Amino acid sequence: ANNRIIPYDDIWLLRFILSNGKGKSAEKAVRATLEYRAKNADLLTRCAAGEDHPLAANLRKLTISEIYETPTEAGEPVQLIRAGKSNVKKLMDTYSADEVVENMNYQKEQAFIRCDESTRRTRRLIKMVTVVDMHSQRFSDNDKRFYKALGRASKDSEMFYPQLLEITVGINVPSYMNLIWPIAKRVMPAKTLAKFRICSAKDTVTQSAVLCPFAPAVFQPSTLVEFLGGAGPTTEVLGPVDRPKAL
């Protein structure tokens, strides 16, 4: 449906109270969020109308990420990120950190709208699931500027989108992950990192991510996207199993 405006009511406030408690911290977060939403009103109206971020078509050629059309079994929106096929060095060479952060926050708004709708429909607090596919990712692909932007967006999300993230799952995780972790710890909020899980599937070209411990409660093989070993259709943005790395 178009114009999916998020009501600022008790259901909206509940997320702030659950994240910040009932006192001044929650009030501070609510005030900061209302200020953020007023400042970005045009962008958020665009999102509520179901339109993409103005730069999305170009940004997604380099940072391959979108909210997948099929939610989890519990109705949670799924953000799919093909980190191993992305080119974050070129992304940060081409776009400003502000533009990259704004685009990340825009996807959070897209997910939050879906979570809010599902919460009101089911009367259960619905959160999002982020899946990071690291297939084909090399250590040299990483970029500190991108991690800083990711850290900024994660801090924004904690403030402006409380109780949004249920879990982040790394799939096809490379062996050098332990080298990236110290970098992530320096820039990412502790709450965000605490929700990170690693799937045991190392190559979903030949294995299915349905084998991961979390998967049966979240996905069925028919709804898991094909590049993670399921039968769900991929999209133009995400591309086929064997899509080349972004250049």
Side-chain angles (χ1 to χ4, degrees):
N2 286 338
N3 295 319
R4 298 179 292 184
I5 303 295
I6 296 168
Y8 302 154
D9 59 7
D10 288 354
I11 293 175
W12 184 73
L13 285 170
L14 176 63
R15 292 183 187 266
F16 288 89
I17 292 167
L18 289 172
S19 284
N20 300 283
K22 295 181 180 179
K24 292 285 185 185
S25 294
E27 182 183 342
K28 181 181 175 184
V30 168
R31 288 186 185 279
T33 301
L34 291 174
E35 188 178 324
Y36 165 81
R37 297 186 73 80
K39 183 180 174 185
N40 294 279
D42 290 348
L43 208 56
L44 300 182
T45 299
R46 181 187 179 102
C47 190
E51 298 176 40
D52 276 331
H53 185 278
L55 294 175
N58 292 320
L59 284 162
R60 288 192 303 211
K61 291 173 185 172
L62 298 172
T63 177
I64 301 157
S65 168
E66 74 174 350
I67 309 296
Y68 191 51
E69 60 195 44
T70 307
T72 69
E73 295 291 294
E76 300 151 326
V78 180
Q79 180 187 38
L80 292 177
I81 302 171
R82 297 196 78 177
K85 303 295 186 178
S86 298
N87 186 341
V88 295
K89 284 188 171 176
K90 187 171 181 182
L91 175 76
M92 301 311 296
D93 286 342
T94 310
Y95 297 96
S96 70
D98 285 348
E99 287 171 327
V100 172
V101 170
E102 184 181 273
N103 182 63
M104 289 177 179
N105 288 345
Y106 197 91
Q107 276 201 1
K108 298 286 181 15
E109 178 75 10
Q110 290 174 319
F112 195 86
I113 287 170
R114 296 188 189 197
C115 287
D116 187 67
E117 287 180 337
S118 292
T119 296
R120 292 170 192 280
R121 188 178 64 253
T122 64
R123 311 308 289 179
R124 290 185 299 110
L125 191 67
I126 300 294
K127 305 181 186 183
M128 74 181 286
V129 174
T130 295
V131 177
V132 184
D133 175 23
M134 301 177 78
H135 194 282
S136 310
Q137 189 162 1
R138 301 168 304 215
F139 185 68
S140 58
D141 293 335
N142 293 288
D143 189 291
K144 284 185 180 178
R145 295 169 299 170
F146 180 74
Y147 277 108
K148 282 186 178 178
L150 189 60
R152 274 180 58 191
S154 295
K155 285 169 186 169
D156 284 349
S157 185
E158 274 199 1
M159 177 66 77
F160 307 137
Y161 301 105
Q163 299 293 312
L164 173 62
L165 182 63
E166 176 70 36
I167 190 174
T168 298
V169 182
I171 297 180
N172 297 315
V173 174
S175 56
Y176 64 76
M177 185 67 187
N178 60 325
L179 299 178
I180 299 178
W181 203 246
I183 301 170
K185 275 186 169 179
R186 284 201 296 272
V187 296
M188 300 286 285
K191 282 184 185 176
T192 303
L193 290 178
K195 294 176 181 176
F196 191 83
R197 301 288 181 273
I198 292 177
C199 173
S200 55
K202 297 290 186 188
D203 183 5
T204 52
V205 173
T206 56
Q207 300 172 287
S208 174
V210 170
L211 300 173
C212 297
F214 75 91
V218 177
F219 299 112
Q220 294 299 315
S222 60
T223 58
L224 186 67
V225 69
E226 62 185 34
F227 59 79
L228 296 180
T234 190
T235 66
E236 187 179 343
V237 170
L238 296 169
V241 173
D242 58 352
R243 75 164 294 159
K245 290 175 80 74
L247 297 174

